[in-house]
Amino acid sequence: MLKKTFKRGIHPLHRQGSGKNATKNLPIENYVSDSVVIHMSMNIGAPAVPCVKKGDHVKIGQVIGTAGGFVSVPVHASIAGEVTAVEPIPYLGTGNVTAVTIKNDFSDEWVELHPLGSVENVDPSLVIPAIREAGITGMGGASFPTHVKLTFKEGAVCDTIIVNGAECETHLTADHRLMLENSVRIVDGLRAVMRALIVPKGIIAIEDNKPDAIAAMQKAAAGRIGVQVAVLKTKYPQGGEKQLIEAVSGRQVPSGGLPIDVGVVVLNVGTCAAIADAVIDGMPLVSRVCTVTGCVKEPKNLRIPVGTIVEDMIGACGGFSEDPGKIFFGGAMTGIAIPNIQTPTAKSTNGVVVFNEAESRSKDESPCIRCGKCVAACPIGLNPYQIKVAADASDFAAAEKLHVMDCMLCGSCAYMCPARRWLTPSFRFAKDKIVAERKAAAAKGGSDK
Amino acid sequence: MNLRISTAPHIHHPVTTQRLMIYVLLALLPTTAVGIYAFGLPALMLLAISCVTAVLSEFLWQKIAKKRVLISDCSALVTGLILGLNLPANAPWWLAVIGSAFAVLLVKQLFGGLGDNFLNPAMAARAVLLASWPVHMTSFVLPTFFSGADAVTGATPLATKSAQLMDLFMGNIPGTIGEVSKVAILLGLLILLFTRTITWHIPFTMVASVFVFSWLFGADPVYAILSGGVLFGAVFMATDYVTNPMTASGKMIYAAGIGLIIAVIRQFGAYPEGVTYGILLMNIATPLIDRFLPQKIYGRQKEVKKA
């Protein structure tokens, strides 16, 4: 079979099986902790508004935060018990967010659920509202509200839905295990969306380093209308939305555009499974699979209630095996470092990776030797070394001319750089600056009128 | 518990600048060994002097200029060794000292140090030596291979056009320390390719270009690529990271340009050899190539496929 892929890219931790060997053969274990901290900014867009107060008793699946606008979803209690606090907490450098703390009474009481029935028989017009009510956001990491992604602007037509099972990030095996253990649910979720939006084709795309997942998904897709499995080459960032679309459909999303501009929508496998849960069982998104690996005694794939504290998850994995130097949510290429182990997880937390002191040491920059490895790595086709010169000189206009805004911060250039130059961090900074300047300019233009 | 906060990526490819330079040194090892074997003790002395001078110059400059001392990245050592390999084995010791110091201090450090020089340091130094002491730079000895025979001086086969192809290939010809054995150079090329230090684009395009243009200009193309410094230049000098273009297509334009200039100088110029000037001229063209070669950016091509 011809394996599909995109141009350039890298093979991070190639010799160590991308860091996935420790967990890829471990079945998902359920884990429930004594308490959870559920914050209200789980999605890109407006935060949810808390609707419970200290002392309230909540059941699993009960709405504890209502959607704060169209680009927002409700938040549900992930365990049953007493609300012990509703207060702002600092969260991952985004400032304070409101969070609801629930103490588990282990009654496992659920709210009454309203199943819609089989995905092949459900009234298609009920699917998107159900996705919204279930509080589903992109579970691959970006946490964009799924119902917004599935609501197109006038005239847009979607002919293909791609289910992202690439899992190209290092260390993570949560999607891999989900495809093995929950393959039918993933196909169900895809079918529900295909019917809701009248899309003829659904393609489940998986990297060839997961032959067992490919086989499982092929089996689950057999006989389902319009559903097929595509095998991708194992390469980072194969699971990047733009790269995936190029690999699977041969189309390129225009710069600054959305996948729907080329008739495609991409959904993560976890998102699809959550959609199936919402339609078939009427169940909101209250738990997810998360890979806990690195310097922990027993690396695991855990199904955790949303809001589980990192410390509890480390405990469930037998504790640290070495003194930790850095812990991050997600894989090593794009993961977000957390400040302490009291940090709660969110709907988008697909991994908790613990690095020891040696792995965490920051590297000094040395001079660029113009080796061109960054250029050969960039999946977008940018010249990272030139952008870095502009960014270092705080010349953001020049950086913008070099198309820094097309950079998706995948980290490929910085991974390859032999001089250990902080390419991706500078690009992140430059992009933030440019966005802020654009906003300021827009605000000024508005006030002038 | 103190956790480090840093932005992604949290991992790096194990290859550092230092390791790349060590790969280059490793790739130069066969050539260096054959050079010493062919020309004996004088060659060893010259190579040692040029290496020590290069590293010492870099160290002293960085100390005096109060810069971070970066000699551990081994780039100065590479420059020194390559310059030494570019000298005839019977060159006087001070030629090596002047050449190395010029390469590191004037060509590299005065323009900002590693990464900021626009000319290949060893190549520029060789050009200066060639212009200043042409007799020393072009009187070659025949390899003695420790046969005990007295060294015999001879002209480079480039000038006489008399050597057998097999002798050219194996290294039994007069020439600079590094350029005589083509087998050793090709072994070095394999090391560079295998360690992914360089890609095939520059060496292959440059040799192909010399072959094609020599043939077009009426010279023997096989003789052209095996004689003089074409192979050594294509493998070790044109591939200097700092002074060649960043993109694969840019590298091929650059290498093809070097080949053309070499063939033109050899066939129509007054010099028997054109590798030095070919590489230096295309070094100068590198920023232009990088700047004006169109990029293919995802989602910005004119014809975004719509199927």
mmCIF file with all atom_site columns, all heavy atoms in Angstrom, chain A residues 242 325-326 332 335 365 370 380 406 415 420, chain B residues 4 6 10 13 68 242 290 298-301 304:
data_model
loop_
_atom_site.group_PDB
_atom_site.id
_atom_site.type_symbol
_atom_site.label_atom_id
_atom_site.label_alt_id
_atom_site.label_comp_id
_atom_site.label_asym_id
_atom_site.label_entity_id
_atom_site.label_seq_id
_atom_site.pdbx_PDB_ins_code
_atom_site.Cartn_x
_atom_site.Cartn_y
_atom_site.Cartn_z
_atom_site.occupancy
_atom_site.B_iso_or_equiv
_atom_site.pdbx_formal_charge
_atom_site.auth_seq_id
_atom_site.auth_comp_id
_atom_site.auth_asym_id
_atom_site.auth_atom_id
_atom_site.pdbx_PDB_model_num
ATOM 1   N N   . LYS A 1 242 ? -2.682 20.635 9.086  1.00 0.00 ? 242 LYS A N   1
ATOM 2   C CA  . LYS A 1 242 ? -2.359 20.961 7.694  1.00 0.00 ? 242 LYS A CA  1
ATOM 3   C C   . LYS A 1 242 ? -1.593 19.824 7.022  1.00 0.00 ? 242 LYS A C   1
ATOM 4   O O   . LYS A 1 242 ? -1.828 19.506 5.856  1.00 0.00 ? 242 LYS A O   1
ATOM 5   C CB  . LYS A 1 242 ? -1.525 22.241 7.646  1.00 0.00 ? 242 LYS A CB  1
ATOM 6   C CG  . LYS A 1 242 ? -2.326 23.472 7.998  1.00 0.00 ? 242 LYS A CG  1
ATOM 7   C CD  . LYS A 1 242 ? -1.450 24.704 7.978  1.00 0.00 ? 242 LYS A CD  1
ATOM 8   C CE  . LYS A 1 242 ? -2.295 25.964 8.011  1.00 0.00 ? 242 LYS A CE  1
ATOM 9   N NZ  . LYS A 1 242 ? -1.466 27.170 7.955  1.00 0.00 ? 242 LYS A NZ  1
ATOM 10  N N   . GLY A 1 325 ? 12.738 16.886 36.912 1.00 0.00 ? 325 GLY A N   1
ATOM 11  C CA  . GLY A 1 325 ? 13.295 18.203 36.595 1.00 0.00 ? 325 GLY A CA  1
ATOM 12  C C   . GLY A 1 325 ? 12.269 19.061 35.887 1.00 0.00 ? 325 GLY A C   1
ATOM 13  O O   . GLY A 1 325 ? 12.229 20.273 36.031 1.00 0.00 ? 325 GLY A O   1
ATOM 14  N N   . LYS A 1 326 ? 11.420 18.387 35.104 1.00 0.00 ? 326 LYS A N   1
ATOM 15  C CA  . LYS A 1 326 ? 10.409 19.116 34.340 1.00 0.00 ? 326 LYS A CA  1
ATOM 16  C C   . LYS A 1 326 ? 9.247  18.164 34.070 1.00 0.00 ? 326 LYS A C   1
ATOM 17  O O   . LYS A 1 326 ? 9.455  16.981 33.848 1.00 0.00 ? 326 LYS A O   1
ATOM 18  C CB  . LYS A 1 326 ? 11.024 19.602 33.021 1.00 0.00 ? 326 LYS A CB  1
ATOM 19  C CG  . LYS A 1 326 ? 10.085 20.354 32.129 1.00 0.00 ? 326 LYS A CG  1
ATOM 20  C CD  . LYS A 1 326 ? 10.810 21.305 31.165 1.00 0.00 ? 326 LYS A CD  1
ATOM 21  C CE  . LYS A 1 326 ? 11.619 20.644 30.103 1.00 0.00 ? 326 LYS A CE  1
ATOM 22  N NZ  . LYS A 1 326 ? 12.221 21.579 29.153 1.00 0.00 ? 326 LYS A NZ  1
ATOM 23  N N   . ALA A 1 332 ? 6.793  15.716 23.874 1.00 0.00 ? 332 ALA A N   1
ATOM 24  C CA  . ALA A 1 332 ? 7.990  16.517 24.095 1.00 0.00 ? 332 ALA A CA  1
ATOM 25  C C   . ALA A 1 332 ? 8.203  17.586 23.027 1.00 0.00 ? 332 ALA A C   1
ATOM 26  O O   . ALA A 1 332 ? 8.986  18.503 23.210 1.00 0.00 ? 332 ALA A O   1
ATOM 27  C CB  . ALA A 1 332 ? 9.214  15.608 24.161 1.00 0.00 ? 332 ALA A CB  1
ATOM 28  N N   . GLY A 1 335 ? 4.684  20.003 24.070 1.00 0.00 ? 335 GLY A N   1
ATOM 29  C CA  . GLY A 1 335 ? 4.079  19.964 25.406 1.00 0.00 ? 335 GLY A CA  1
ATOM 30  C C   . GLY A 1 335 ? 4.260  21.249 26.198 1.00 0.00 ? 335 GLY A C   1
ATOM 31  O O   . GLY A 1 335 ? 5.189  22.015 25.979 1.00 0.00 ? 335 GLY A O   1
ATOM 32  N N   . GLU A 1 365 ? 22.415 28.693 23.697 1.00 0.00 ? 365 GLU A N   1
ATOM 33  C CA  . GLU A 1 365 ? 22.479 28.923 22.251 1.00 0.00 ? 365 GLU A CA  1
ATOM 34  C C   . GLU A 1 365 ? 23.924 29.094 21.826 1.00 0.00 ? 365 GLU A C   1
ATOM 35  O O   . GLU A 1 365 ? 24.717 29.698 22.532 1.00 0.00 ? 365 GLU A O   1
ATOM 36  C CB  . GLU A 1 365 ? 21.746 30.227 21.901 1.00 0.00 ? 365 GLU A CB  1
ATOM 37  C CG  . GLU A 1 365 ? 20.264 30.102 21.792 1.00 0.00 ? 365 GLU A CG  1
ATOM 38  C CD  . GLU A 1 365 ? 19.648 31.383 21.222 1.00 0.00 ? 365 GLU A CD  1
ATOM 39  O OE1 . GLU A 1 365 ? 20.099 32.475 21.600 1.00 0.00 ? 365 GLU A OE1 1
ATOM 40  O OE2 . GLU A 1 365 ? 18.720 31.277 20.424 1.00 0.00 ? 365 GLU A OE2 1
ATOM 41  N N   . ARG A 1 370 ? 24.589 27.918 9.817  1.00 0.00 ? 370 ARG A N   1
ATOM 42  C CA  . ARG A 1 370 ? 23.933 27.870 8.507  1.00 0.00 ? 370 ARG A CA  1
ATOM 43  C C   . ARG A 1 370 ? 23.943 26.468 7.895  1.00 0.00 ? 370 ARG A C   1
ATOM 44  O O   . ARG A 1 370 ? 24.129 26.301 6.700  1.00 0.00 ? 370 ARG A O   1
ATOM 45  C CB  . ARG A 1 370 ? 24.616 28.852 7.538  1.00 0.00 ? 370 ARG A CB  1
ATOM 46  C CG  . ARG A 1 370 ? 24.410 30.311 7.898  1.00 0.00 ? 370 ARG A CG  1
ATOM 47  C CD  . ARG A 1 370 ? 25.143 31.237 6.937  1.00 0.00 ? 370 ARG A CD  1
ATOM 48  N NE  . ARG A 1 370 ? 25.043 30.764 5.570  1.00 0.00 ? 370 ARG A NE  1
ATOM 49  C CZ  . ARG A 1 370 ? 24.059 31.090 4.750  1.00 0.00 ? 370 ARG A CZ  1
ATOM 50  N NH1 . ARG A 1 370 ? 23.109 31.899 5.132  1.00 0.00 ? 370 ARG A NH1 1
ATOM 51  N NH2 . ARG A 1 370 ? 24.020 30.615 3.527  1.00 0.00 ? 370 ARG A NH2 1
ATOM 52  N N   . ILE A 1 380 ? 6.341  23.523 6.786  1.00 0.00 ? 380 ILE A N   1
ATOM 53  C CA  . ILE A 1 380 ? 5.632  24.588 6.079  1.00 0.00 ? 380 ILE A CA  1
ATOM 54  C C   . ILE A 1 380 ? 6.477  25.118 4.917  1.00 0.00 ? 380 ILE A C   1
ATOM 55  O O   . ILE A 1 380 ? 5.957  25.702 3.976  1.00 0.00 ? 380 ILE A O   1
ATOM 56  C CB  . ILE A 1 380 ? 5.300  25.743 7.068  1.00 0.00 ? 380 ILE A CB  1
ATOM 57  C CG1 . ILE A 1 380 ? 4.411  25.233 8.205  1.00 0.00 ? 380 ILE A CG1 1
ATOM 58  C CG2 . ILE A 1 380 ? 4.636  26.912 6.373  1.00 0.00 ? 380 ILE A CG2 1
ATOM 59  C CD1 . ILE A 1 380 ? 3.002  24.891 7.800  1.00 0.00 ? 380 ILE A CD1 1
ATOM 60  N N   . ASP A 1 406 ? 2.794  31.917 9.387  1.00 0.00 ? 406 ASP A N   1
ATOM 61  C CA  . ASP A 1 406 ? 2.469  30.582 8.881  1.00 0.00 ? 406 ASP A CA  1
ATOM 62  C C   . ASP A 1 406 ? 3.085  29.487 9.747  1.00 0.00 ? 406 ASP A C   1
ATOM 63  O O   . ASP A 1 406 ? 2.752  28.314 9.599  1.00 0.00 ? 406 ASP A O   1
ATOM 64  C CB  . ASP A 1 406 ? 2.974  30.421 7.438  1.00 0.00 ? 406 ASP A CB  1
ATOM 65  C CG  . ASP A 1 406 ? 2.095  31.165 6.450  1.00 0.00 ? 406 ASP A CG  1
ATOM 66  O OD1 . ASP A 1 406 ? 0.874  31.000 6.525  1.00 0.00 ? 406 ASP A OD1 1
ATOM 67  O OD2 . ASP A 1 406 ? 2.629  31.916 5.621  1.00 0.00 ? 406 ASP A OD2 1
ATOM 68  N N   . TYR A 1 415 ? 14.268 21.335 17.162 1.00 0.00 ? 415 TYR A N   1
ATOM 69  C CA  . TYR A 1 415 ? 14.723 19.986 17.497 1.00 0.00 ? 415 TYR A CA  1
ATOM 70  C C   . TYR A 1 415 ? 15.994 19.651 16.726 1.00 0.00 ? 415 TYR A C   1
ATOM 71  O O   . TYR A 1 415 ? 16.936 19.086 17.268 1.00 0.00 ? 415 TYR A O   1
ATOM 72  C CB  . TYR A 1 415 ? 13.626 18.969 17.159 1.00 0.00 ? 415 TYR A CB  1
ATOM 73  C CG  . TYR A 1 415 ? 14.049 17.528 17.343 1.00 0.00 ? 415 TYR A CG  1
ATOM 74  C CD1 . TYR A 1 415 ? 14.062 16.957 18.612 1.00 0.00 ? 415 TYR A CD1 1
ATOM 75  C CD2 . TYR A 1 415 ? 14.449 16.748 16.263 1.00 0.00 ? 415 TYR A CD2 1
ATOM 76  C CE1 . TYR A 1 415 ? 14.468 15.644 18.796 1.00 0.00 ? 415 TYR A CE1 1
ATOM 77  C CE2 . TYR A 1 415 ? 14.854 15.435 16.435 1.00 0.00 ? 415 TYR A CE2 1
ATOM 78  C CZ  . TYR A 1 415 ? 14.862 14.881 17.703 1.00 0.00 ? 415 TYR A CZ  1
ATOM 79  O OH  . TYR A 1 415 ? 15.272 13.582 17.882 1.00 0.00 ? 415 TYR A OH  1
ATOM 80  N N   . ARG A 1 420 ? 21.548 24.488 18.874 1.00 0.00 ? 420 ARG A N   1
ATOM 81  C CA  . ARG A 1 420 ? 20.567 24.589 19.963 1.00 0.00 ? 420 ARG A CA  1
ATOM 82  C C   . ARG A 1 420 ? 19.941 25.978 20.053 1.00 0.00 ? 420 ARG A C   1
ATOM 83  O O   . ARG A 1 420 ? 19.711 26.504 21.137 1.00 0.00 ? 420 ARG A O   1
ATOM 84  C CB  . ARG A 1 420 ? 21.224 24.245 21.320 1.00 0.00 ? 420 ARG A CB  1
ATOM 85  C CG  . ARG A 1 420 ? 21.777 22.852 21.378 1.00 0.00 ? 420 ARG A CG  1
ATOM 86  C CD  . ARG A 1 420 ? 20.683 21.832 21.439 1.00 0.00 ? 420 ARG A CD  1
ATOM 87  N NE  . ARG A 1 420 ? 21.198 20.479 21.535 1.00 0.00 ? 420 ARG A NE  1
ATOM 88  C CZ  . ARG A 1 420 ? 21.236 19.606 20.523 1.00 0.00 ? 420 ARG A CZ  1
ATOM 89  N NH1 . ARG A 1 420 ? 20.792 19.956 19.330 1.00 0.00 ? 420 ARG A NH1 1
ATOM 90  N NH2 . ARG A 1 420 ? 21.692 18.398 20.698 1.00 0.00 ? 420 ARG A NH2 1
ATOM 91  N N   . ARG B 2 4   ? 11.264 22.920 36.307 1.00 0.00 ? 4   ARG B N   1
ATOM 92  C CA  . ARG B 2 4   ? 11.658 23.888 35.300 1.00 0.00 ? 4   ARG B CA  1
ATOM 93  C C   . ARG B 2 4   ? 10.482 24.215 34.392 1.00 0.00 ? 4   ARG B C   1
ATOM 94  O O   . ARG B 2 4   ? 9.728  23.329 34.012 1.00 0.00 ? 4   ARG B O   1
ATOM 95  C CB  . ARG B 2 4   ? 12.751 23.305 34.421 1.00 0.00 ? 4   ARG B CB  1
ATOM 96  C CG  . ARG B 2 4   ? 14.120 23.611 34.857 1.00 0.00 ? 4   ARG B CG  1
ATOM 97  C CD  . ARG B 2 4   ? 15.085 22.841 33.986 1.00 0.00 ? 4   ARG B CD  1
ATOM 98  N NE  . ARG B 2 4   ? 16.207 22.391 34.781 1.00 0.00 ? 4   ARG B NE  1
ATOM 99  C CZ  . ARG B 2 4   ? 17.286 23.120 34.986 1.00 0.00 ? 4   ARG B CZ  1
ATOM 100 N NH1 . ARG B 2 4   ? 17.387 24.311 34.460 1.00 0.00 ? 4   ARG B NH1 1
ATOM 101 N NH2 . ARG B 2 4   ? 18.265 22.657 35.710 1.00 0.00 ? 4   ARG B NH2 1
ATOM 102 N N   . SER B 2 6   ? 9.798  25.724 30.732 1.00 0.00 ? 6   SER B N   1
ATOM 103 C CA  . SER B 2 6   ? 10.385 26.191 29.480 1.00 0.00 ? 6   SER B CA  1
ATOM 104 C C   . SER B 2 6   ? 9.396  25.870 28.381 1.00 0.00 ? 6   SER B C   1
ATOM 105 O O   . SER B 2 6   ? 8.513  25.050 28.547 1.00 0.00 ? 6   SER B O   1
ATOM 106 C CB  . SER B 2 6   ? 11.718 25.504 29.212 1.00 0.00 ? 6   SER B CB  1
ATOM 107 O OG  . SER B 2 6   ? 11.508 24.138 28.949 1.00 0.00 ? 6   SER B OG  1
ATOM 108 N N   . HIS B 2 10  ? 10.908 20.154 24.032 1.00 0.00 ? 10  HIS B N   1
ATOM 109 C CA  . HIS B 2 10  ? 11.656 19.785 25.230 1.00 0.00 ? 10  HIS B CA  1
ATOM 110 C C   . HIS B 2 10  ? 12.791 18.808 24.923 1.00 0.00 ? 10  HIS B C   1
ATOM 111 O O   . HIS B 2 10  ? 13.486 18.360 25.834 1.00 0.00 ? 10  HIS B O   1
ATOM 112 C CB  . HIS B 2 10  ? 10.701 19.173 26.254 1.00 0.00 ? 10  HIS B CB  1
ATOM 113 C CG  . HIS B 2 10  ? 9.556  20.081 26.602 1.00 0.00 ? 10  HIS B CG  1
ATOM 114 N ND1 . HIS B 2 10  ? 9.727  21.230 27.343 1.00 0.00 ? 10  HIS B ND1 1
ATOM 115 C CD2 . HIS B 2 10  ? 8.250  20.048 26.281 1.00 0.00 ? 10  HIS B CD2 1
ATOM 116 C CE1 . HIS B 2 10  ? 8.556  21.848 27.469 1.00 0.00 ? 10  HIS B CE1 1
ATOM 117 N NE2 . HIS B 2 10  ? 7.646  21.150 26.827 1.00 0.00 ? 10  HIS B NE2 1
ATOM 118 N N   . HIS B 2 13  ? 17.660 16.844 18.819 1.00 0.00 ? 13  HIS B N   1
ATOM 119 C CA  . HIS B 2 13  ? 18.436 15.822 18.135 1.00 0.00 ? 13  HIS B CA  1
ATOM 120 C C   . HIS B 2 13  ? 19.826 15.782 18.775 1.00 0.00 ? 13  HIS B C   1
ATOM 121 O O   . HIS B 2 13  ? 20.365 16.829 19.120 1.00 0.00 ? 13  HIS B O   1
ATOM 122 C CB  . HIS B 2 13  ? 18.538 16.194 16.651 1.00 0.00 ? 13  HIS B CB  1
ATOM 123 C CG  . HIS B 2 13  ? 19.004 15.069 15.802 1.00 0.00 ? 13  HIS B CG  1
ATOM 124 N ND1 . HIS B 2 13  ? 20.332 14.782 15.646 1.00 0.00 ? 13  HIS B ND1 1
ATOM 125 C CD2 . HIS B 2 13  ? 18.329 14.140 15.089 1.00 0.00 ? 13  HIS B CD2 1
ATOM 126 C CE1 . HIS B 2 13  ? 20.449 13.726 14.853 1.00 0.00 ? 13  HIS B CE1 1
ATOM 127 N NE2 . HIS B 2 13  ? 19.250 13.322 14.499 1.00 0.00 ? 13  HIS B NE2 1
ATOM 128 N N   . ARG B 2 68  ? 32.964 34.938 24.116 1.00 0.00 ? 68  ARG B N   1
ATOM 129 C CA  . ARG B 2 68  ? 32.879 33.580 24.633 1.00 0.00 ? 68  ARG B CA  1
ATOM 130 C C   . ARG B 2 68  ? 33.876 32.715 23.870 1.00 0.00 ? 68  ARG B C   1
ATOM 131 O O   . ARG B 2 68  ? 33.903 32.736 22.641 1.00 0.00 ? 68  ARG B O   1
ATOM 132 C CB  . ARG B 2 68  ? 31.446 33.049 24.439 1.00 0.00 ? 68  ARG B CB  1
ATOM 133 C CG  . ARG B 2 68  ? 31.154 31.749 25.105 1.00 0.00 ? 68  ARG B CG  1
ATOM 134 C CD  . ARG B 2 68  ? 29.679 31.698 25.556 1.00 0.00 ? 68  ARG B CD  1
ATOM 135 N NE  . ARG B 2 68  ? 28.757 31.749 24.430 1.00 0.00 ? 68  ARG B NE  1
ATOM 136 C CZ  . ARG B 2 68  ? 27.964 30.718 24.066 1.00 0.00 ? 68  ARG B CZ  1
ATOM 137 N NH1 . ARG B 2 68  ? 27.970 29.597 24.750 1.00 0.00 ? 68  ARG B NH1 1
ATOM 138 N NH2 . ARG B 2 68  ? 27.149 30.833 23.055 1.00 0.00 ? 68  ARG B NH2 1
ATOM 139 N N   . VAL B 2 242 ? 28.693 27.296 6.349  1.00 0.00 ? 242 VAL B N   1
ATOM 140 C CA  . VAL B 2 242 ? 28.487 28.729 6.501  1.00 0.00 ? 242 VAL B CA  1
ATOM 141 C C   . VAL B 2 242 ? 28.380 29.426 5.153  1.00 0.00 ? 242 VAL B C   1
ATOM 142 O O   . VAL B 2 242 ? 27.618 30.370 4.996  1.00 0.00 ? 242 VAL B O   1
ATOM 143 C CB  . VAL B 2 242 ? 29.636 29.325 7.328  1.00 0.00 ? 242 VAL B CB  1
ATOM 144 C CG1 . VAL B 2 242 ? 29.465 30.819 7.483  1.00 0.00 ? 242 VAL B CG1 1
ATOM 145 C CG2 . VAL B 2 242 ? 29.710 28.652 8.684  1.00 0.00 ? 242 VAL B CG2 1
ATOM 146 N N   . ASP B 2 290 ? 20.326 32.546 -1.662 1.00 0.00 ? 290 ASP B N   1
ATOM 147 C CA  . ASP B 2 290 ? 19.391 32.361 -0.543 1.00 0.00 ? 290 ASP B CA  1
ATOM 148 C C   . ASP B 2 290 ? 18.251 33.366 -0.596 1.00 0.00 ? 290 ASP B C   1
ATOM 149 O O   . ASP B 2 290 ? 17.120 33.066 -0.252 1.00 0.00 ? 290 ASP B O   1
ATOM 150 C CB  . ASP B 2 290 ? 20.133 32.519 0.794  1.00 0.00 ? 290 ASP B CB  1
ATOM 151 C CG  . ASP B 2 290 ? 20.745 31.210 1.242  1.00 0.00 ? 290 ASP B CG  1
ATOM 152 O OD1 . ASP B 2 290 ? 20.278 30.153 0.764  1.00 0.00 ? 290 ASP B OD1 1
ATOM 153 O OD2 . ASP B 2 290 ? 21.668 31.236 2.063  1.00 0.00 ? 290 ASP B OD2 1
ATOM 154 N N   . TYR B 2 298 ? 3.846  26.189 2.349  1.00 0.00 ? 298 TYR B N   1
ATOM 155 C CA  . TYR B 2 298 ? 2.563  25.488 2.434  1.00 0.00 ? 298 TYR B CA  1
ATOM 156 C C   . TYR B 2 298 ? 1.415  26.497 2.420  1.00 0.00 ? 298 TYR B C   1
ATOM 157 O O   . TYR B 2 298 ? 1.413  27.457 3.190  1.00 0.00 ? 298 TYR B O   1
ATOM 158 C CB  . TYR B 2 298 ? 2.514  24.667 3.725  1.00 0.00 ? 298 TYR B CB  1
ATOM 159 C CG  . TYR B 2 298 ? 1.235  23.869 3.914  1.00 0.00 ? 298 TYR B CG  1
ATOM 160 C CD1 . TYR B 2 298 ? 1.237  22.493 3.761  1.00 0.00 ? 298 TYR B CD1 1
ATOM 161 C CD2 . TYR B 2 298 ? 0.043  24.483 4.241  1.00 0.00 ? 298 TYR B CD2 1
ATOM 162 C CE1 . TYR B 2 298 ? 0.082  21.752 3.926  1.00 0.00 ? 298 TYR B CE1 1
ATOM 163 C CE2 . TYR B 2 298 ? -1.125 23.766 4.398  1.00 0.00 ? 298 TYR B CE2 1
ATOM 164 C CZ  . TYR B 2 298 ? -1.102 22.396 4.242  1.00 0.00 ? 298 TYR B CZ  1
ATOM 165 O OH  . TYR B 2 298 ? -2.250 21.672 4.404  1.00 0.00 ? 298 TYR B OH  1
ATOM 166 N N   . GLY B 2 299 ? 0.457  26.257 1.541  1.00 0.00 ? 299 GLY B N   1
ATOM 167 C CA  . GLY B 2 299 ? -0.736 27.095 1.522  1.00 0.00 ? 299 GLY B CA  1
ATOM 168 C C   . GLY B 2 299 ? -0.548 28.442 0.871  1.00 0.00 ? 299 GLY B C   1
ATOM 169 O O   . GLY B 2 299 ? -1.449 29.261 0.856  1.00 0.00 ? 299 GLY B O   1
ATOM 170 N N   . ARG B 2 300 ? 0.667  28.673 0.321  1.00 0.00 ? 300 ARG B N   1
ATOM 171 C CA  . ARG B 2 300 ? 0.898  29.962 -0.343 1.00 0.00 ? 300 ARG B CA  1
ATOM 172 C C   . ARG B 2 300 ? 1.246  29.799 -1.813 1.00 0.00 ? 300 ARG B C   1
ATOM 173 O O   . ARG B 2 300 ? 1.522  30.767 -2.502 1.00 0.00 ? 300 ARG B O   1
ATOM 174 C CB  . ARG B 2 300 ? 2.028  30.719 0.347  1.00 0.00 ? 300 ARG B CB  1
ATOM 175 C CG  . ARG B 2 300 ? 1.588  31.404 1.618  1.00 0.00 ? 300 ARG B CG  1
ATOM 176 C CD  . ARG B 2 300 ? 2.692  32.271 2.166  1.00 0.00 ? 300 ARG B CD  1
ATOM 177 N NE  . ARG B 2 300 ? 2.311  32.836 3.445  1.00 0.00 ? 300 ARG B NE  1
ATOM 178 C CZ  . ARG B 2 300 ? 1.651  33.977 3.579  1.00 0.00 ? 300 ARG B CZ  1
ATOM 179 N NH1 . ARG B 2 300 ? 1.292  34.673 2.536  1.00 0.00 ? 300 ARG B NH1 1
ATOM 180 N NH2 . ARG B 2 300 ? 1.354  34.412 4.786  1.00 0.00 ? 300 ARG B NH2 1
ATOM 181 N N   . GLN B 2 301 ? 1.286  28.538 -2.280 1.00 0.00 ? 301 GLN B N   1
ATOM 182 C CA  . GLN B 2 301 ? 1.534  28.354 -3.701 1.00 0.00 ? 301 GLN B CA  1
ATOM 183 C C   . GLN B 2 301 ? 0.365  28.930 -4.482 1.00 0.00 ? 301 GLN B C   1
ATOM 184 O O   . GLN B 2 301 ? -0.769 28.926 -4.009 1.00 0.00 ? 301 GLN B O   1
ATOM 185 C CB  . GLN B 2 301 ? 1.709  26.868 -4.029 1.00 0.00 ? 301 GLN B CB  1
ATOM 186 C CG  . GLN B 2 301 ? 3.133  26.402 -3.826 1.00 0.00 ? 301 GLN B CG  1
ATOM 187 C CD  . GLN B 2 301 ? 3.226  25.360 -2.736 1.00 0.00 ? 301 GLN B CD  1
ATOM 188 O OE1 . GLN B 2 301 ? 2.686  25.555 -1.656 1.00 0.00 ? 301 GLN B OE1 1
ATOM 189 N NE2 . GLN B 2 301 ? 3.878  24.266 -3.003 1.00 0.00 ? 301 GLN B NE2 1
ATOM 190 N N   . VAL B 2 304 ? -3.116 26.275 -5.336 1.00 0.00 ? 304 VAL B N   1
ATOM 191 C CA  . VAL B 2 304 ? -3.446 25.319 -4.288 1.00 0.00 ? 304 VAL B CA  1
ATOM 192 C C   . VAL B 2 304 ? -4.451 24.349 -4.888 1.00 0.00 ? 304 VAL B C   1
ATOM 193 O O   . VAL B 2 304 ? -5.478 24.744 -5.420 1.00 0.00 ? 304 VAL B O   1
ATOM 194 C CB  . VAL B 2 304 ? -4.039 26.039 -3.067 1.00 0.00 ? 304 VAL B CB  1
ATOM 195 C CG1 . VAL B 2 304 ? -4.576 25.026 -2.076 1.00 0.00 ? 304 VAL B CG1 1
ATOM 196 C CG2 . VAL B 2 304 ? -2.982 26.907 -2.409 1.00 0.00 ? 304 VAL B CG2 1
#
